[in-house]
Amino acid sequence: YECDHVIATLLDDVLFEYHQTINWTTKQNIEYILARQTTKHWRLGRCDFTRYFHYKWEDENGLLGPLFSIAQPFDEQYEWTWDTTSYPWTLNLVRPSNATTCEVRFGKNQREIQRDIDPTGILNRIYPKGYGEGVNQLTIREANNGRPYLENAASIAKYGLIPYVWVDRRFEDINSLKASAQALLDERSVPKVSYRISAVDLSSLTGMDVDKLRVGRIVRIIDPDLGTFEARIVGESKPDMVGSPGDIQLEIANKTENLGTTQADLERRQEINEVYAQGATNLLAYSYDDN
């Protein structure tokens, strides 16, 4: 069986033509997207953020992409959660807890641990560019003391200067462009470190909350070779729900990019480039005669 979460019902509608929100709160923007549902499957419950970013969508296939794009400029961690025990289903945008609530310990519930460090994608100076063409293309100069770039001084001192020109024509607002670039810089200024853990889910046997290994929770890893550290679980999977329901694969810390995520981003940018109207520099000349 191949199953989709009910959040996929948001792919059944479209945002036709041009939609723009200016100086709205995060809650208002989410409610604007959910109001475009033909059948009201989802409603907004809790929203822990109040940001006043500007958003623009045009000819979007599905409401899920625009909905998730609302939180992308955030420079702090966030989590989408849902309650499907009542209908319409409830969607929440919350700050995940930073408290350590579970653990994986060698000799108890850990089978295998693998650490991958990928320094190839480090960027520590970003030149963001948004909507427009040529000299009229949006930059962050006016919101960044005249400098067209953002940088991470600590990363530059450690790894050397690695600049990057980041172009995303979806952005028409300078503050939203700067915030998204800052979030990208914070993520890419350090090497991507990913841990893959093969563990045993003992919660069904012990009934203890500390043994529940779930996405979004902070887990304490206790390993004789790697030491003791804490990180957030960002992915989980169970290869065999019937034969070995207790076996679980966890991915923690930074999620590494794979061909699938890169391809999806390229396809999305191509769609945006095809449907968005771009401005171009034009010269309109008049001739005058004077005595």
Side-chain angles (χ1 to χ4, degrees):
Y1 296 90
E2 204 169 296
C3 303
D4 284 335
H5 193 278
V6 288
I7 195 72
T9 55
L10 291 174
L11 296 172
D12 297 338
D13 292 292
V14 299
L15 279 181
F16 183 60
E17 295 185 332
Y18 188 85
H19 298 261
Q20 183 173 13
T21 61
I22 299 176
N23 209 35
W24 288 17
T25 65
T26 303
K27 181 178 180 180
Q28 289 174 321
N29 280 292
I30 295 175
E31 290 176 337
Y32 178 83
I33 296 298
L34 295 181
R36 310 275 85 79
Q37 299 176 92
T38 305
T39 303
K40 308 298 182 182
H41 294 300
W42 290 94
R43 62 184 175 184
L44 178 63
R46 174 180 160 193
C47 181
D48 292 348
F49 300 88
T50 302
R51 301 295 183 89
Y52 292 89
F53 293 129
H54 299 232
Y55 299 96
K56 182 196 71 172
W57 304 282
E58 186 174 355
D59 293 331
E60 297 278 355
N61 289 314
L63 303 179
L64 193 59
L67 178 70
F68 284 170
S69 72
I70 292 175
Q72 285 179 353
F74 292 179
D75 56 356
E76 57 181 309
Q77 293 184 332
Y78 61 89
E79 182 179 7
W80 293 98
T81 64
W82 38 75
D83 178 10
T84 56
T85 58
S86 60
Y87 185 83
W89 304 307
T90 303
L91 186 70
N92 308 295
L93 180 60
V94 301
R95 285 186 175 88
S97 171
N98 290 322
T100 303
T101 55
C102 57
E103 75 172 16
V104 172
R105 182 187 293 268
F106 178 80
K108 177 188 176 183
N109 59 349
Q110 175 188 317
R111 288 186 170 182
E112 181 183 358
I113 185 169
Q114 176 184 348
R115 177 172 62 182
D116 296 328
I117 302 177
D118 181 14
T120 58
I122 293 179
L123 309 170
N124 46 37
R125 177 181 289 180
I126 293 182
Y127 295 82
K129 286 193 167 187
Y131 185 85
E133 300 287 345
V135 296
N136 294 326
Q137 192 164 4
L138 179 67
T139 66
I140 62 170
R141 291 179 189 272
E142 295 182 6
N144 196 43
N145 298 321
R147 294 194 307 176
Y149 60 84
L150 298 170
E151 65 181 13
N152 186 310
S155 177
I156 293 174
K158 187 172 183 178
Y159 303 107
L161 177 61
I162 307 174
Y164 181 72
V165 179
W166 178 60
V167 179
D168 194 330
R169 300 184 190 276
R170 290 174 289 184
F171 291 97
E172 293 185 358
D173 174 64
I174 188 172
N175 293 318
S176 299
L177 177 64
K178 182 181 177 182
S180 291
Q182 185 64 55
L184 178 63
L185 179 64
D186 293 341
E187 178 185 350
R188 301 288 294 273
S189 59
V190 294
K192 281 188 174 293
V193 181
S194 178
Y195 296 86
R196 293 178 178 85
I197 300 173
S198 176
V200 179
D201 187 355
L202 300 176
S203 59
S204 59
L205 299 177
T206 65
M208 299 178 64
D209 186 67
V210 71
D211 292 324
K212 292 182 180 179
L213 307 174
R214 299 291 183 269
V215 167
R217 307 189 79 180
I218 298 292
V219 60
R220 179 181 289 112
I221 311 297
I222 304 173
D223 184 84
D225 295 326
L226 300 179
T228 300
F229 58 96
E230 298 173 354
R232 190 177 304 278
I233 300 175
V234 296
E236 66 168 302
S237 63
K238 291 190 176 184
D240 189 353
M241 287 292 296
V242 178
S244 303
D247 292 349
I248 186 170
Q249 305 290 329
L250 302 177
E251 185 172 352
I252 67 173
N254 293 337
K255 292 187 70 173
T256 55
E257 292 183 356
N258 54 35
L259 184 60
T261 56
T262 305
Q263 180 69 17
D265 186 61
L266 289 174
E267 291 178 355
R268 182 74 189 122
R269 287 175 181 270
Q270 183 177 356
E271 289 178 3
I272 291 169
N273 194 53
E274 289 175 353
V275 299
Y276 275 25
Q278 298 296 321
T281 304
N282 290 275
L283 181 63
L284 185 61
Y286 290 93
S287 297
Y288 293 96
D289 290 328
D290 189 17
N291 292 327

